[in-house]
Amino acid sequence: MTKNSTQLPDAVWRRRFRRRLRSWYAKHARVLPWRGLRDPYPIWVSEVMLQQTQVATVKAYFTRFLRAFPTVEALAGADEQRVMRVWEGLGYYRRARQLHRAAKIIVEKHAGNFPRNADAAGRLPGVGRYTAGAVLSIAFDAREPILEANTARLFSRLLGHGGDPASTESRSILWAMAEALLPRRDVGSFNQAMMELGSEMCLARRPRCDACPVAPLCLANVQGRQSQLPRSRPKCLVEERREAAVLIRRRGRVLLVRCPDDGRWAGLWDFPRFHVRSRWPDTLRRELVGKVRRRTGVTV
């Protein structure tokens, strides 16, 4: 029993859950380009790409990225700007830079092999507990739990847990649930099945409880609280910011600048872009002329 009275299910419940989940997944698993692979490199690439990005978007980028960098050695030896160009359009570009840095570490310190120890894998740039668990369980059938957005939502509803999924206490409960559910074999397939169930059935809005194979085992479903769980997180504060991008042409060429590594769009190339305060055309022009000169040395 945990501090907030959320109790993990017993062994009988867990066996029923595994049986229902595996039966459903055998019939409904999507065909995806990274499914069925045992090489940790493409599995790792897919997991990084899937962070905060829809599966439908990732599929084409995954294929393109593996074509450009078929091995971890190829990725490690590539120029960062080329890596960024291949990643271009997928967004959250920090992922690409971390993937590139981690590839270098794997080649230099691990002889080109993705670490099979969860702690060592979790120390790689951009690889936390979830990504390490996903790669190791899928590639090596390691008995490692996973917890990401889809499974956190799934577990919250299965347990009827009303806490904030992002809180330290709730994360501890949900990770404990992920661990408790692990089977003794075929762990990678099981973990993928849970993520599939979360993304395809246990939707954030309008969960498909009528078609869900584990609906009879779900406390939120039994109590009719699917729409209330998990608890919504407070909305982020939005800061209004006015920016202007300046297009400078000279003799058929266009001026681009590299974004600072510690700011937004870090490491990417863009037109000179500035936070502006002026609202009238004349004063705005003077403000931009001064900022372009200070930033680039170009007088316009």
Side-chain angles (χ1 to χ4, degrees), residues 23 45 62 94 96 123 127 157 227 263 278:
S23 177
V45 170
F62 173 81
R94 182 176 299 174
R123 288 193 291 270
V127 179
R157 287 173 174 161
S227 61
S278 306

Side-chain angles (χ1 to χ4, degrees), residues 34-82:
W34 49 85
R35 286 264 168 89
L37 303 178
R38 300 308 291 262
D39 180 352
Y41 171 64
I43 294 170
W44 169 44
V45 170
S46 73
E47 289 298 335
V48 173
M49 288 186 166
L50 287 165
Q51 294 169 10
Q52 299 177 293
T53 306
Q54 296 292 325
V55 168
T57 302
V58 167
K59 287 193 287 188
Y61 281 95
F62 173 81
T63 302
R64 185 173 77 175
F65 195 89
L66 266 293
R67 189 180 299 123
F69 312 112
T71 64
V72 68
E73 289 83 4
L75 177 58
D79 177 76
E80 183 182 279
Q81 290 304 308
R82 180 165 180 251

Side-chain angles (χ1 to χ4, degrees), residues 206-218:
R206 298 182 181 178
R208 301 173 58 193
C209 301
D210 56 332
C212 178
V214 298
L217 304 177
C218 176

